[in-house]
Amino acid sequence: MKITLLIILSILTFLSQLLLSHSTRCNPQDKKVLLKIKKAFNNPYHLASWNPDTDCCQWYVVDCDRKTNRITNFHLFAANVSGQIPPAIADLPYLESLTFHKITNLTGTIPPALARLTNLKMLTISWTNISGPIPSFLSQLKNLTFLDLSFNNFSGAIPQTLGELRNLNGLRLDRNKLTGPIPDSFGDLSPTLQYLYLSHNQLSGSIPRAWGDLNFTSVLFDRNRLEGDISFLFGKNKTVQNVDFSRNMLRFDLSNVEFPDGLSTLDLNHNRIYGSLPEGLAKLENLYLNVSYNRLCGQIPVGGRLQELDYSSYFHNRCLCGAPLPNCK
Ligand SMILES: *[C@@H]1O[C@H](CO)[C@@H](O)[C@H](O)[C@H]1NC(C)=O
Ligand SMILES: *[C@@H]1O[C@H](CO)[C@@H](O)[C@H](O)[C@H]1NC(C)=O
Ligand SMILES: *[C@@H]1O[C@H](CO)[C@@H](O)[C@H](O)[C@H]1NC(C)=O
Ligand SMILES: *[C@@H]1O[C@H](CO)[C@@H](O)[C@H](O)[C@H]1NC(C)=O
Ligand SMILES: *[C@@H]1O[C@H](CO)[C@@H](O)[C@H](O)[C@H]1NC(C)=O
Ligand SMILES: *[C@@H]1O[C@H](CO)[C@@H](O)[C@H](O)[C@H]1NC(C)=O
Ligand SMILES: *[C@@H]1O[C@H](CO)[C@@H](O)[C@H](O)[C@H]1NC(C)=O
Ligand SMILES: *[C@@H]1O[C@H](CO)[C@@H](O)[C@H](O)[C@H]1NC(C)=O
């Protein structure tokens, strides 16, 4: 009796496993598109696991939604893949996250078809050799919360329409060859934007006044050709924590600027900033400051971390003095 039961049980287990292994979650339409993408990339070794006889929800690089079984994530990372982004990718209508990262041989421009992926929340194209202008059609991806186009070969101006992405938390356009002024309409950025990285481009002109109303956490703009005044980014009740405008051409009086308590990085080296260091800097307990290579004068305020910082945070100014620089005369 017991033995029969055991046999029946093991047969049932075997059958259910057999059934499970054959229950394909993959949507046939999505599978067709993925195989098209594999072919467009010339059947690379990296996508060797994309076997048409298996469930595409199990394939490397992609993820399916638990309920709908549609492809929602596509993350191609550090792959030896050559060519352009296949427009077929836009035929995965349920994609929410799309990444091409560290693919040296990915070239060409961003295909206009991508504008159809309106469910996208995250789009990353970084460390590739993709070039051309940053397309203005990206503004049609209204659900984007994160757009990362850093470390590529993009050139031309920042499209004004990116300001229409009202749900963005983070925008990275750093390490490209972007030129021209930041258009005033770009000042109308998403109020939810916290991270804005534009470092290592060739952007010129001043930054939009309207950015003073935004609640940034990090604004990294180093190594551009930006001019003018950025003091409106600061103020007692601002949220900003990390600010890097080093190696630009800013020119403003720092003397009366108030800084928020949460400020932890303020790098302004290599600009044309004048006036003196405000006393308020001495109240910040956790500050990395670098104001070297400017036109500042007067005594370095005493307190906070200001004396612990290396003298190279202050050197090459007009007449800054006091510890860690030599005493004032
Ligand atoms: C890039 O393409 C070249 C020429 O096709 C090839 O030799 C090289 O291995 C590729 N590199 C990578 C990282 O894919
Ligand atoms: C990349 O793939 C190409 C062709 O598929 C191959 O010739 C080359 O050796 C590969 N490079 C690396 C770094 O794997
Ligand atoms: C772009 O391609 C060049 C060679 O063609 C390579 O040296 C460089 O690393 C590539 N850039 C990126 C970001 O992959
Ligand atoms: C944005 O996402 C919501 C659900 O999160 C969806 O209902 C809406 O259609 C999406 N917007 C666009 C423009 O597709
Ligand atoms: C990068 O862009 C420059 C023009 O800005 C172009 O001359 C160069 O060929 C591009 N490099 C690649 C790998 O596409
Ligand atoms: C910024 O934060 C303050 C206080 O946290 C809030 O009152 C204000 O509405 C926020 N501004 C934006 C543009 O979100
Ligand atoms: C700081 O916040 C108060 C109210 O929360 C507001 O009235 C004031 O305008 C703000 N000051 C600055 C400089 O933003
Ligand atoms: C401040 O910036 C200057 C210029 O880039 C650099 O030489 C120096 O090492 C920096 N100091 C610190 C403490 O980071």
Side-chain angles (χ1 to χ4, degrees):
M1 198 49 194
K2 260 188 186 162
I3 289 178
T4 341
L5 203 67
L6 259 177
I7 289 173
I8 290 174
L9 262 179
S10 48
I11 288 175
L12 277 178
T13 321
F14 176 76
L15 273 179
S16 66
Q17 271 169 2
L18 202 72
L19 276 175
L20 267 182
S21 66
H22 277 260
S23 73
T24 328
R25 294 169 53 206
C26 178
N27 178 285
Q29 190 55 38
D30 286 350
K31 182 183 272 186
K32 217 156 106 190
V33 173
L34 290 173
L35 290 171
K36 215 162 147 187
I37 291 167
K38 182 180 177 184
K39 195 166 167 216
F41 278 134
N42 213 1
N43 300 317
Y45 179 73
H46 198 82
L47 303 180
S49 75
W50 290 19
N51 176 346
D53 297 332
T54 58
D55 180 1
C56 77
C57 288
Q58 308 291 335
W59 289 358
Y60 196 42
V61 175
V62 294
D63 292 310
C64 289
D65 180 79
R66 286 231 178 101
K67 286 194 190 120
T68 65
N69 291 333
R70 300 302 300 250
I71 302 283
T72 51
N73 297 336
F74 186 110
H75 291 175
L76 195 56
F77 175 86
N80 181 6
V81 157
S82 300
Q84 308 204 358
I85 295 179
I89 205 130
D91 297 326
L92 296 170
Y94 293 86
L95 268 192
E96 290 178 8
S97 181
L98 175 60
T99 303
F100 294 98
H101 180 63
K102 292 216 166 165
I103 310 177
T104 313
N105 284 350
L106 198 60
T107 55
T109 56
I110 298 183
L114 283 203
R116 296 207 308 268
L117 291 171
T118 50
N119 285 309
L120 271 188
K121 296 191 174 92
M122 316 244 259
L123 174 60
T124 298
I125 300 174
S126 62
W127 297 84
T128 76
N129 263 313
I130 291 186
S131 58
I134 290 177
S136 56
F137 58 71
L138 292 179
S139 65
Q140 292 171 38
L141 305 176
K142 297 279 190 262
N143 273 350
L144 278 184
T145 58
F146 184 71
L147 175 59
D148 181 355
L149 302 177
S150 61
F151 289 86
N152 295 295
N153 201 15
F154 290 116
S155 54
I158 298 173
Q160 308 187 5
T161 53
L162 288 193
E164 293 165 19
L165 296 171
R166 308 301 294 169
N167 293 309
L168 277 186
N169 285 321
L171 175 59
R172 292 194 58 170
L173 305 176
D174 47 308
R175 304 263 181 170
N176 282 290
K177 294 176 183 153
L178 301 174
T179 52
I182 296 168
D184 249 0
S185 59
F186 195 59
D188 189 27
L189 276 174
S190 162
T192 57
L193 192 67
Q194 292 185 41
Y195 304 92
L196 180 56
Y197 297 179
L198 301 179
S199 311
H200 285 257
N201 281 291
Q202 293 147 33
L203 299 167
S204 54
S206 51
I207 68 169
R209 277 260 152 196
W211 285 0
D213 297 331
L214 298 180
N215 288 331
F216 291 116
T217 303
S218 294
V219 279
L220 308 185
F221 284 60
D222 49 296
R223 292 182 197 254
N224 280 287
R225 296 172 191 158
L226 297 167
E227 296 168 15
D229 189 350
I230 60 160
S231 57
F232 54 84
L233 288 178
F234 305 106
K236 263 287 159 228
N237 43 10
K238 287 289 166 59
T239 51
V240 73
Q241 293 170 10
N242 302 301
V243 177
D244 190 348
F245 273 87
S246 60
R247 296 179 194 263
N248 278 284
M249 301 189 298
L250 302 180
R251 190 194 299 263
F252 65 98
D253 185 349
L254 194 64
S255 312
N256 296 312
V257 178
E258 286 195 301
F259 295 99
D261 292 337
L263 190 67
S264 62
T265 303
L266 179 61
D267 197 342
L268 299 173
N269 83 69
H270 284 95
N271 279 283
R272 291 159 196 178
I273 298 165
Y274 56 91
S276 56
L277 288 178
E279 285 293 333
L281 287 173
K283 297 200 178 73
L284 304 177
E285 295 298 335
N286 198 11
L287 180 69
Y288 167 79
L289 177 74
N290 196 333
V291 292
S292 62
Y293 296 91
N294 277 288
R295 295 172 183 176
L296 294 162
C297 253
Q299 172 138 23
I300 296 170
V302 177
R305 295 204 55 223
L306 295 184
Q307 276 63 48
E308 291 165 30
L309 290 163
D310 191 69
Y311 80 104
S312 66
S313 277
Y314 303 102
F315 68 178
H316 292 280
N317 271 286
R318 190 156 284 164
C319 51
L320 271 184
C321 58
L325 292 182
N327 287 340
C328 301
K329 296 206 177 89

